[in-house]
Amino acid sequence: MMASFFDQFASPSFLGVPLIAIAIALPWVLYPTPSSRWINNRLITAQEWFINRSTNQLMTPLSVEGHKWALLLTSLMIFLITINMLGLLPYTFTPTTQLSLNMGFAVPLWLATVIIGMRNQPTVALGHLLPEGTPIPLIPVLIIIETISLFIRPLALGVRLTANLTAGHLLIQLIATAVFVLLPMMPTVAILTAVVLFLLTLLEVAVAMIQAYVFVLLLSLYLQENT
């Protein structure tokens, strides 16, 4: 029984072909293509409003140099929100519960921010490794600690997204199993448990959106340090 709880996180395959590629490509098919008309329908208008608000929220703290990342960061946030939300549907697979996928997003983007900082302002980028006013005996130790914390950033990005989504999916499955087990024996308790399951599902919808936003927001903060 315990092993079956984790079967939902196994990458599905058909005839030996992993279906994670379809799960990753599917979100882009669901969005309507913006038209050149002056007046659009409500769906496209809501989509454009959400994209504009998200882009403005992410780009406001950044310098003009960092605004070049607007398309990349906004697209990544919308992509993560979509696959996280689709993963809450029954009989679906959530690619962002795979640490390898999240690290594949986190490491290259984090490394790009570091390279930009080392290329454009190497003195400032290296200055982050040593806080101002540090006593001389503590300089080697602080440099080592700050270097380790710098390299832990992409790991924290990937693990945070994976852990939050994995924990939420496991809780939903555990409580849903409890509802089916308690229903024949204690219907009242099963109904109360089902209410808790419904509230937890609403919470997971919020978590799916918030975690995608936090992932991109932290990347924008790393970019802010290096631009």
Side-chain angles (χ1 to χ4, degrees):
M1 174 65 73
M2 294 305 296
S4 64
F5 286 156
F6 294 91
D7 288 345
Q8 60 177 318
F9 304 115
S11 179
S13 60
F14 180 72
L15 298 178
V17 178
L19 300 181
I20 188 172
I22 299 177
I24 293 175
L26 183 61
W28 304 118
V29 182
L30 301 178
Y31 286 100
T33 303
S35 64
S36 58
R37 297 177 180 177
W38 287 9
I39 300 178
N40 294 318
N41 57 36
R42 291 186 178 91
L43 182 59
I44 295 180
T45 303
Q47 175 181 301
E48 292 178 350
W49 175 85
F50 177 76
I51 292 175
N52 291 333
R53 293 292 297 174
S54 303
T55 305
N56 183 52
Q57 186 75 18
L58 290 172
M59 295 297 111
T60 298
L62 298 181
S63 62
V64 178
E65 184 70 21
H67 290 178
K68 298 176 182 178
W69 287 58
L71 179 61
L72 175 62
L73 294 180
T74 306
S75 300
L76 178 61
M77 184 183 68
I78 295 174
F79 172 74
L80 291 177
I81 288 176
T82 307
I83 57 179
N84 290 349
M85 298 286 286
L86 290 176
L88 294 174
L89 297 175
Y91 303 104
T92 56
F93 171 69
T94 312
T96 43
T97 57
Q98 305 295 312
L99 182 60
S100 58
L101 176 67
N102 297 331
M103 293 300 293
F105 285 131
V107 173
L109 294 174
W110 164 83
L111 187 60
T113 62
V114 173
I115 292 174
I116 287 175
M118 295 297 294
R119 185 189 64 181
N120 295 340
Q121 44 185 14
T123 304
V124 177
L126 293 176
H128 291 151
L129 302 179
L130 185 62
E132 187 177 356
T134 304
I136 295 179
L138 295 179
I139 288 179
V141 178
L142 279 180
I143 290 177
I144 294 174
I145 293 175
E146 291 296 329
T147 303
I148 293 174
S149 67
L150 177 66
F151 283 96
I152 283 178
R153 284 180 174 182
L155 181 63
L157 278 177
V159 170
R160 180 187 294 106
L161 183 58
T162 303
N164 280 281
L165 295 178
T166 303
H169 283 61
L170 282 176
L171 269 177
I172 288 177
Q173 186 169 3
L174 285 170
I175 296 178
T177 304
V179 171
F180 282 105
V181 171
L182 293 173
L183 192 58
M185 299 181 294
M186 293 179 286
T188 305
V189 178
I191 293 173
L192 294 176
T193 308
V195 172
V196 174
L197 177 62
F198 175 74
L199 296 177
L200 179 62
T201 305
L202 295 180
L203 177 63
E204 279 305 305
V205 171
V207 168
M209 301 179 67
I210 291 172
Q211 287 303 317
Y213 175 73
V214 169
F215 187 92
V216 178
L217 179 64
L218 289 175
L219 281 175
S220 68
L221 293 178
Y222 299 157
L223 181 63
Q224 182 183 2
E225 290 182 358
N226 294 283
T227 54

